[in-house]
Amino acid sequence: MSKDIGDLYVQYYDEIYRYIYLFTLNRYDTEDILHNTFVKVMQGINSFKGKCDVKTWLLAIAHNECVNYFKKHKMEKVNIDNLEDVVLTIDDDIGKRLLYKEEVKKIINYIQIQKEPIKSLIILRLMDERPFEEIGKILNKSDVWCRVTFFRNKKKIMDILETDKDTI
């Protein structure tokens, strides 16, 4: 691998941090998981074969670290009151639009009740706009599975937002 760990850290820190933060909604847990992620990257950098993009490989490690962290700490839900840093857009019939804080809270509530790997799929696509092919590699699923599962869940999210539209 031509890049050293310091270069990877500098280049991908923000994206990896954002993914983990969207998973935890907690800066302290995010920092712990981010640290564990880069420890794993250091341990596995020489075995990286280049079969996928470096960013995909890093996100896959971060994903696994998030799942392991939640299992280890027996966490099922995160505190959704801390949403100042979460900005979401969603494609609706008109096009992309920025979501209001109350809408974001409803989507986060929906995401938190999902099991893995659907939870990560929604985060990677809705919140981070990753391509389905890349998400499939991260989650070890086909891009078709990712596409179909995401659109089913997006429909449910849109129904939730539409149902409560008058209260927003």
Side-chain angles (χ1 to χ4, degrees):
M1 164 135 245
S2 62
K3 290 193 180 255
D4 72 359
I5 191 70
D7 291 341
L8 291 176
Y9 185 84
V10 169
Q11 185 173 357
Y12 296 107
Y13 175 88
D14 289 338
E15 290 179 77
I16 303 301
Y17 183 95
R18 176 175 158 77
Y19 169 71
I20 295 169
Y21 183 79
L22 291 171
F23 206 97
T24 66
L25 296 177
N26 178 303
R27 288 185 181 101
Y28 301 109
D29 291 338
T30 298
E31 289 294 334
D32 285 347
I33 296 168
L34 187 66
H35 170 78
N36 294 344
T37 298
F38 278 100
V39 167
K40 291 281 168 86
V41 169
M42 286 190 312
Q43 293 169 343
I45 193 79
N46 293 327
S47 63
F48 177 68
K49 306 259 189 281
K51 293 181 180 179
C52 64
D53 183 63
V54 174
K55 182 169 46 174
T56 303
W57 180 65
L58 293 170
L59 283 167
I61 293 170
H63 165 74
N64 290 331
E65 287 303 310
C66 286
V67 171
N68 292 339
Y69 191 86
F70 271 63
K71 283 181 186 174
K72 181 180 177 184
H73 293 90
K74 298 182 181 0
M75 297 167 65
E76 293 183 18
K77 285 192 167 187
V78 296
N79 180 5
I80 61 164
D81 293 330
N82 186 18
L83 296 175
E84 327 63 67
D85 297 331
V86 179
V87 176
L88 293 179
T89 59
I90 194 164
D91 284 323
D92 58 16
D93 295 336
I94 300 168
K96 281 190 177 189
R97 68 178 175 92
L98 190 64
L99 296 173
Y100 296 103
K101 187 173 182 174
E102 286 304 312
E103 292 174 310
V104 170
K105 194 170 187 175
K106 288 173 186 175
I107 292 172
I108 297 296
N109 276 328
Y110 178 82
I111 291 170
Q112 292 306 308
I113 62 172
Q114 303 308 307
K115 301 277 187 221
E116 279 301 321
I118 294 171
K119 180 178 183 176
S120 292
L121 166 68
I122 297 169
I123 290 171
L124 287 164
R125 183 62 187 188
L126 184 64
M127 298 181 176
D128 217 20
E129 298 182 348
R130 296 275 171 226
F132 290 114
E133 185 176 304
E134 183 181 339
I135 295 170
K137 289 177 183 174
I138 293 167
L139 301 179
N140 202 20
K141 298 283 186 185
S142 74
D143 60 329
V144 173
W145 179 90
C146 292
R147 186 173 278 108
V148 169
T149 305
F150 176 76
F151 283 110
R152 286 178 183 159
N153 281 278
K154 181 181 170 189
K155 169 85 170 92
K156 291 176 186 176
I157 290 169
M158 295 303 289
D159 289 346
I160 290 167
L161 295 178
E162 190 62 36
T163 301
D164 297 330
K165 196 174 192 177
D166 295 332
T167 62
I168 296 175

